[in-house]
Structure formats: C-alpha cells, structure tokens
Amino acid sequence: MSASPIRVGMLGAGQLARMMALEGMPLGCEFSIYDTSGAPSAGIGTLYSDPENDQAHLQEFLDSVDVVTYEFEHLPLNLARNIESRKPLHPNVRSLATCQDREKEKTLFSELGIPTPRWRMARSAEELRNACEALGTPVVAKSATEGYDGKGQAVIRNPADAEAAWTQIGHDRLIVESFVNFTRELSLIAVRSSQGELACYPLVENHHHEGILRYTWAPAPGVSAAVEAAADDYIARLLNELDYVGALALELFETPDGLLANEMAPRVHNSGHWTQNGAATSQFENHIRAVAGLPLGSTALTRPSCMINLIGAEVDRERLLTLPDTYLHLYNKSIRPGRKVGHINVTADNASAIHNKVQAVLSCVSDCAPYPER
Ligand code: AMP
C-alpha cells in the first residue's frame, strides 16, 4: 500500500505524450520520453532523443522506467518487440501489429463478429480490378500499412480506373473496401486495466475536413441504446481478445443497418480530447492509470462537449479565455498549414446550447473548417 512513484516511459514526444504526462503526474507518475523525430514538442518529462534512429539512448531510457507505452502506432515492430522483451509494454505488441496492418485489423474484426464494410486484398493492379468487380464499385482502396488521415487511399468508381489507382497509391498491398454511404462517422474509446477491468466512454460524432478531424460532438446526438450497446460490445471483444491494457479507439460508420467498424488505434485518440473537460476522468488519465497498473476512473460524461481542433490556426487567446465553459489546450508547436497545434473544448448544460458557444469560439480562431450543419 504505497504511493511510490511509477516511472512511465513514453515512446513519442508529441502532443499525445504531453497530455498523458500532464495528467499522469498528479497520480505520482514520472515520465521519460523517447523521441526519434528530432522535433519533440512534448516539453515535459525527461527527454531521451535519438534523432538518427540509432537507439543510442534506448538502454538509458529503458533503465529509467518501470513500464512503457506509446503515443503513436507507426512504431517499428522490431523496436516494440525489443522493448517488450525488456520492460512491460502496453498496449502489447500484438495489439500494435494488428493496428498497423489493415488486413490483420479487418481479419480480427471479422473473427470477432464485428461488422465491417465488405473487403478484399489486392497485391497487383489486376487483383485490384478483380476486387472492384467482385465488390461492385465504388470502392475505397487503401494501402494496407502506413496510411493515416486518408493518405494512401483512392476511391475507384469504375474497374477500368484500377490500374491508375494502383499506380497513384504506389503500395504493394492494398485493402479494397465497398464504399459505405454512411449516415455519419462515430467513434468510441474504451480502456482496459491490467486487472481486466473495462470502461467505455460514450459514442461521439466526428466531422473531418480534408482528411483531418475538425470537430467532435460528445455525446453523439440521437444514438439509440441498442447502437451504444453494440459499440460497447464490439470494443469489449477487441480489448479482451488482445489482452489489451490502455485506451483503444474504434472508428465506426453509422448506417441505417447498424454500425460498421472502419479502423482502430491503440492509443489515446483525437476524438477523445473532449474527455479532458467533459468526462469524470479523461482518456489520458485513464490510459496512464491502466498502463501504470492502477484502477480505472469513471468514464461517465459530465457535460455535453464539443472539441474543436486548431489546424494550422492562430487563436486570440486573450479573447478566447473570457468565454465561459471554454478550455484551451495548446501543444507547444509552431504553426504550419495542416498541423495540429491545439484544440479547444467547449461544454454546456445541454447539447443544443453547445452550438452557439462554438460559434463564439470560432470567432477567436484565424482559420477553421466549416462547422457542420445540425
Ligand atoms: P481511414 O484512413 O480508414 O480512417 O479513412 C479515412 C476516411 O475515408 C474515413 O474517415 C472516411 O470518411 C473515409 N472512408 C474510409 N473508408 C471508407 C469506406 N469504406 N466507405 C466510405 N468512406 C470511407
């Protein structure tokens, strides 16, 4: 029964690492952060940097920690395996490997009875054309690995365009999915502790612009109890099958026939940033609680919320901070077009009161995507 420091190692030094460290420190966690990008922005914890990716400081980093987690899933698997053989790594290598490869991911969804868009794999332009014909166009072709935020993808409307799409994507293995006319995009974050305890945040509704998340509404308006229960069941199957420890994000398409799983991320997720101000315990704190072997906190929504991403945008901080129920989270990053530099959470007593508050926030931001119609 002691509250001695828990030394958490973090792979990656961006905003997600920063927010996890900011919320883990009051729990008595100490953070060592391992960066290979050469451009760490976390600005918190003890930094170990190997910009040449030569692992020169890896041993020193590992010696300074009890447990290791990460902020991004594009982590070389050999590095993750190496670390897992020396220190507990959460989420585990199997979870990481599954999320890195869309074929493994969709196969697992199917094995666990989680509905997905219909899909095929293609390893050549000819196989891509065959997949278009088998599934019926339109389809979405995606590189099996290394894609994110809609990169490495093409919508194919005619099988005759398969050759051009193959060349454009320029990858040797593609997943080809039926194009889903979804009603909206939802996501769900859940956490599993090292004791196997599970907790789900409510389903949220996400709005993207140019492939990047711009707005999240929490909770997603008008979700039926049956849809919420189905989503909770899907993510529980994944967490238990993977013997997962930490926060997992599951992106879903809502259709008139129910939910379809798109992809998952083995980490805290941009669509969960609202939890900092609208939930009893944030996703960042709960992820750290899980990886540090602590009990989970409540995932209950405390206030309806909207998360507004700052993408390459300036904010009038003085004016913004005069607005009620408005919370600024800047990432210590310089502004460049398309770069996530911060987010703003807005909360309200009820969901319909959120939208006017968001308009007031947007008047303080230099550049923002169109706010969605309700
Ligand atoms: P992803 O990288 O898989 O998250 O895809 C990026 C975005 O492309 C998603 O957020 C959707 O808006 C869209 N998308 C992906 N897959 C499909 C699909 N099978 N049908 C329709 N739209 C899709």
Side-chain angles (χ1 to χ4, degrees):
M1 228 39 75
S2 91
S4 55
I6 301 167
R7 301 174 310 158
V8 179
M10 181 71 66
L11 304 170
Q15 67 263 21
L16 301 180
R18 174 186 175 85
M19 290 187 276
M20 286 188 268
L22 281 169
E23 301 215 12
M25 286 165 80
L27 305 177
C29 295
E30 294 171 354
F31 287 85
S32 294
I33 297 191
Y34 187 71
D35 169 60
T36 55
S37 72
S41 66
I44 193 167
T46 307
L47 183 69
Y48 296 83
S49 197
D50 280 333
E52 307 298 327
N53 229 334
D54 54 5
Q55 304 188 5
H57 296 93
L58 183 63
Q59 187 59 49
E60 215 184 323
F61 163 75
L62 289 174
D63 286 344
S64 74
V65 302
D66 304 314
V67 60
V68 180
T69 187
Y70 44 91
E71 65 156 7
F72 65 120
E73 61 274 34
H74 295 291
L75 203 63
L77 277 184
N78 55 2
L79 173 66
R81 284 197 194 98
N82 179 1
I83 291 172
E84 198 176 52
S85 69
R86 291 144 86 179
K87 286 280 155 101
L89 176 73
H90 301 306
N92 57 26
V93 170
R94 183 179 166 210
S95 305
L96 182 69
T98 307
C99 295
Q100 281 184 358
D101 186 326
R102 292 182 190 272
E103 181 176 10
K104 288 198 175 86
E105 187 178 64
K106 287 273 177 355
T107 302
L108 181 64
F109 289 158
S110 303
E111 283 170 3
L112 296 177
I114 301 170
T116 67
R118 292 185 305 124
W119 61 277
R120 295 268 189 294
M121 294 306 293
R123 287 175 177 74
S124 65
E126 194 191 344
E127 285 186 16
L128 178 56
R129 189 189 172 107
N130 293 341
C132 291
E133 276 160 1
L135 294 169
T137 49
V139 298
V140 186
K142 307 175 180 178
S143 63
T145 56
E146 287 142 35
Y148 65 96
D149 279 352
K151 296 194 173 61
Q153 300 192 7
V155 175
I156 306 174
R157 300 189 185 283
N158 187 321
D161 299 334
E163 184 91 43
W166 177 264
T167 309
Q168 183 217 310
I169 297 173
H171 202 275
D172 58 5
R173 201 160 51 91
L174 305 186
I175 189 166
V176 192
E177 300 174 6
S178 293
F179 187 92
V180 179
N181 277 318
F182 50 78
T183 326
R184 55 183 175 164
E185 293 189 73
L186 303 176
S187 64
L188 173 68
I189 294 170
V191 205
R192 185 170 178 273
S193 74
S194 53
Q195 309 296 311
E197 181 194 0
L198 290 188
C200 297
Y201 290 96
L203 273 168
V204 300
E205 178 173 331
N206 298 315
H207 292 270
H208 300 85
H209 181 69
E210 294 171 346
I212 304 177
L213 180 68
R214 304 297 169 135
Y215 302 101
T216 296
W217 286 330
V223 171
S224 70
V227 166
E228 192 87 49
D232 288 0
D233 176 41
Y234 298 157
I235 206 162
R237 289 184 212 181
L238 288 163
L239 289 165
N240 289 329
E241 168 61 27
L242 291 168
D243 194 17
Y244 193 98
V245 174
L248 176 72
L250 179 62
E251 297 184 23
L252 299 154
F253 299 137
E254 188 178 42
T255 76
D257 302 323
L259 297 172
L260 298 176
N262 177 31
E263 62 176 359
M264 59 181 178
R267 54 172 168 81
V268 291
H269 192 257
N270 199 168
S271 70
H273 289 6
W274 67 273
T275 59
Q276 290 171 311
N277 304 104
T281 315
S282 81
Q283 61 163 350
F284 304 102
E285 179 175 336
N286 257 336
H287 180 80
I288 295 300
R289 285 181 181 228
V291 304
L294 299 169
L296 301 180
S298 162
T299 48
L301 180 135
T302 51
R303 303 257 295 166
S305 306
C306 177
M307 190 283 311
I308 302 154
N309 257 347
L310 290 172
I311 310 295
E314 293 273 8
V315 61
D316 180 345
R317 179 164 57 186
E318 278 67 26
R319 200 151 63 80
L320 183 91
L321 293 180
T322 65
L323 300 175
D325 303 326
T326 302
Y327 305 90
L328 178 61
H329 300 268
L330 292 176
Y331 304 157
N332 194 26
K333 285 163 106 179
S334 57
I335 295 175
R336 282 204 303 266
R339 192 177 204 203
K340 290 179 186 172
V341 295
H343 67 273
I344 299 165
N345 290 331
V346 179
T347 69
D349 292 337
N350 57 69
S352 55
I354 284 275
H355 305 301
N356 287 342
K357 290 188 173 188
V358 172
Q359 294 303 339
V361 166
L362 295 182
S363 74
C364 302
V365 175
S366 66
D367 188 23
C368 58
Y371 188 63
E373 303 264 327
R374 279 92 60 201

